[in-house]
């Protein structure tokens, strides 16, 4: 059982935080990818992680739902540790089945759509509620149809991924994540694999989720989305949070020279 040093003295993070990261560190071999990340996301907020490729954004996102383990620090979702239990001043990794149970409350949308190619859009969305949550096929089907309508894909229920555009596949992937009714959604550059003309349809769905009050952490290079929808923006570089604040503070009035240099190339 892996033990991880705990950062911070409190036994449990603030109940008002949906995501709470304190001193999170992560290395791959001798390369330290995360060098002490502190971040707080409150319920209903949209937090955008921006920065150059290789800055640790996607790795941090994967740590939130324990797709990657952390080397030290603390990460919690909705007041509960994800992937670990605490004993004294150490964290011990949970068994895989326990991790999977905790992960049910965290939806994640990846760069690549990762849909099951042999399943229709409807079947892709129904799969986890039936298999993991034990829902009846009737209830899961009804929910899947509603979600397809929500993401603008009513009438595409029986289309296979190969029959859908990239933007449509990504919208199915969003609906599939929503089918587990998670209180938190993670998006890892969800438009980066799309042709430019398809980006807008995915961002529109995400904007709708934000209007509905979904808590979201979004790794993105879409600065317009971050400015319009984000409640907070964290600029990361070389495994650290260089600065954070509101979209206006970070995107229009950055304090740090590294942030200004990055934005000068992407805005």
């Amino acid at each position: 059982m892996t033990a991880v040093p705990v950062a911070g003295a409190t036994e449990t993070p603030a109940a008002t935080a949906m995501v709470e990261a304190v001193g999170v560190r992560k290395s791959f071999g001798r390369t330290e990818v995360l060098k002490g990340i502190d971040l707080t996301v409150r319920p209903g907020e949209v937090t955008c992680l921006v920065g150059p490729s290789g800055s640790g954004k996607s790795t941090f996102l994967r740590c939130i739902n324990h797709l990657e383990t952390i080397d030290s620090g603390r990460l919690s979702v909705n007041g509960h540790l994800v992937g670990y239990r605490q004993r004294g001043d150490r964290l011990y990794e949970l068994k895989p089945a326990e991790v999977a149970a905790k992960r049910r409350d965290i939806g994640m949308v990846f760069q690549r759509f990762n849909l099951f190619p042999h399943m229709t859009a409807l079947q892709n969305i129904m799969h986890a509620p039936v298999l993991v949550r034990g829902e009846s096929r009737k209830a899961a089907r009804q929910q899947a149809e509603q979600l397809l309508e929500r993401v603008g894909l009513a009438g595409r229920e029986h289309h296979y991924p190969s029959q859908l555009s990239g933007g449509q596949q990504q919208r199915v992937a969003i609906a599939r994540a929503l089918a587990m009714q998670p209180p938190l959604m993670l998006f890892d550059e969800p438009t980066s694999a799309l042709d430019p003309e398809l980006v807008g349809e995915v961002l529109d769905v995400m904007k709708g989720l934000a209007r509905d009050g979904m808590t979201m952490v979004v790794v993105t290079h879409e600065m317009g989305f971050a400015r319009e929808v984000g409640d907070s923006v964290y600029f990361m570089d070389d495994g650290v949070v260089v600065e954070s604040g509101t979209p206006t503070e970070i995107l229009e009035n950055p304090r740090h020279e590294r942030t200004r240099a990055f934005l000068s190339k992407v805005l």
Side-chain angles (χ1 to χ4, degrees), residues 46-62:
V46 177
T47 294
C48 295
L49 307 181
V50 304
S53 298
S55 58
K57 307 182 302 297
S58 293
T59 296
F60 176 70
L61 201 73
R62 291 171 64 85

Side-chain angles (χ1 to χ4, degrees), residues 15 21 23 28 36 49 56-57 81 83 90-91 147 173 177 185 189 191 219 226-227 229-230 240 262:
F28 294 103
L49 307 181
K57 307 182 302 297
L81 295 170
R90 309 288 288 184
L91 300 181
L147 287 170
M185 286 282 287
E189 298 190 31
T191 61
V219 173
R227 180 184 288 109
V229 181
V240 301
F262 171 76

